[in-house]
Amino acid sequence: MNAQSTPEPLSAQDRPARLTVGVVGAGRVGPALAASLKLAGHRPVAVSGVSDASRRRAAELLPGVPLVSPAEVLAAAELVLLTVPDDALPALVAGLAETGAIRPGQLLVHTSGRFGAAVLDPARRAGGLPLALHPAMTFTGTSVDVQRLAGCSFGVTAPEELRLAAEALVIEMGGEPEWIEEAARPLYHAALAIGANHLTTLVAQAMELLGTAGVSAPARMLGPLLGAALDNALRSGDAALTGPVARGDAGTVAAHIAELRAHAPQAVAGYLAMARTTADRALAHGLLKPELAEDLLGVLADGGNQ
């Protein structure tokens, strides 16, 4: 399903029955998804969490739902959200299967972007129904996450016979299902990490540099600029590139690098890497004139040490 299309209304046979829901791993994601499923008519019945923070999240987003062990979650729920860190997921699934905690016909949903449905193969062999539903959103661990799920794209991977059920659950949470092939999951997740995680790093670094330059309200200054840049980039891609690198202004770029070396040397490597990538893309798309690119690329190759 295309993420830009409007989902067709679900037929009765495609709509999931009202299910009891359990959460294994009360991090930032699981309780929010369970709360969203509750709004759609499903019934959260059990949640597991170890840390004080996870227990607080569960109490806030799933009030009255008992905190129990993972095995007890699986015993109580027809739909189980396995919302643990990526590296912990394979061992968790294997352990649940080995101990006989998985029941035939039980829906097992993980929310890892990295993995597809294959990581749930031990559960499938035990009779479970594997679904990979990854919300392409950052989570705060608060009730605001439930609201943000409206219109959020989910990367969906599942056996073909479970595709309609997987997409229906996403739509019930207010999301937009986007089918991702099993083999494409790592690339899909890398793309999201580049866009979201690296964006946070860039914005935080830009605010620090503005503060060093004497700007009293860096966030207020950056907000309109970055909002416009993001909107333009989403609409136009590389055609939205502006600034000294895209213009081939080698002297300005050299001055930037010199200032960063003097005041924020930890930012130089990131600036050079992003400037080189920007220059390559600007050249490829005809934005950077070849006659200006030579001096610019020379500055970047030299790291500003001219």
Side-chain angles (χ1 to χ4, degrees), residues 184-256:
R185 291 290 289 210
L187 179 60
Y188 152 81
H189 195 228
L192 294 180
I194 288 172
N197 303 150
H198 296 178
L199 176 62
T200 299
T201 300
L202 288 171
V203 172
Q205 189 172 72
M207 288 196 295
E208 287 180 356
L209 293 173
L210 285 173
T212 302
V215 174
S216 60
R220 185 174 63 201
M221 176 174 282
L222 283 173
L225 172 65
L226 298 187
L230 177 59
D231 183 64
N232 291 341
L234 291 174
R235 291 175 184 272
S236 305
D238 286 304
L241 280 171
T242 63
V245 173
R247 291 193 299 267
D249 192 342
T252 298
V253 171
H256 286 176

Side-chain angles (χ1 to χ4, degrees), residues 55-74:
R55 290 171 178 267
R56 286 194 300 271
R57 277 190 290 268
E60 178 185 352
L61 293 172
L62 302 172
V65 176
L67 279 160
V68 297
S69 69
E72 290 172 305
V73 171
L74 269 77

Side-chain angles (χ1 to χ4, degrees), residues 4-31:
Q4 300 300 316
S5 63
T6 300
E8 296 180 0
L10 297 176
S11 61
Q13 61 266 32
D14 296 336
R15 187 180 297 277
R18 302 306 90 187
L19 302 168
T20 52
V21 178
V23 179
V24 176
R28 296 183 178 185
V29 179

Side-chain angles (χ1 to χ4, degrees), residues 41-181:
H42 300 287
R43 185 164 62 91
V45 293
V47 58
S48 72
V50 177
S51 70
D52 290 340
S54 65
R55 290 171 178 267
R56 286 194 300 271
R57 277 190 290 268
E60 178 185 352
L61 293 172
L62 302 172
V65 176
L67 279 160
V68 297
S69 69
E72 290 172 305
V73 171
L74 269 77
E78 298 161 310
L79 165 63
V80 180
L81 301 173
L82 303 175
T83 50
V84 297
D86 288 2
D87 288 350
L89 183 61
L92 171 66
V93 175
L96 292 172
E98 289 170 3
T99 58
I102 298 166
R103 304 194 308 275
Q106 191 169 42
L107 286 163
L108 293 161
V109 176
H110 80 69
T111 58
S112 166
R114 169 187 169 190
F115 293 110
V119 73
L120 297 173
D121 279 350
R124 191 177 189 182
R125 289 191 292 270
L129 306 178
L131 308 175
L133 307 180
H134 174 249
M137 188 182 78
T138 58
F139 286 77
T140 64
T142 67
S143 58
V144 72
D145 296 332
V146 180
Q147 302 167 19
R148 287 179 175 172
L149 286 173
C152 169
S153 291
F154 279 67
V156 176
T157 306
E160 187 61 36
E161 65 271 17
L162 295 176
R163 180 167 179 164
L164 287 178
E167 293 179 345
L169 283 170
V170 170
I171 292 169
E172 286 199 323
M173 287 186 282
E176 177 71 31
E178 184 72 35
W179 187 257
I180 308 294
E181 295 295 338

Side-chain angles (χ1 to χ4, degrees), residues 256-295:
H256 286 176
I257 297 169
E259 285 300 299
L260 291 176
R261 288 197 186 283
H263 300 287
Q266 73 281 1
V268 172
Y271 182 96
L272 289 172
M274 290 303 299
R276 288 167 184 147
T277 301
T278 300
D280 289 343
R281 297 187 72 89
L283 263 174
H285 288 80
L287 300 173
L288 174 59
K289 296 178 181 179
E291 61 268 25
L292 298 177
E294 184 175 355
D295 286 346

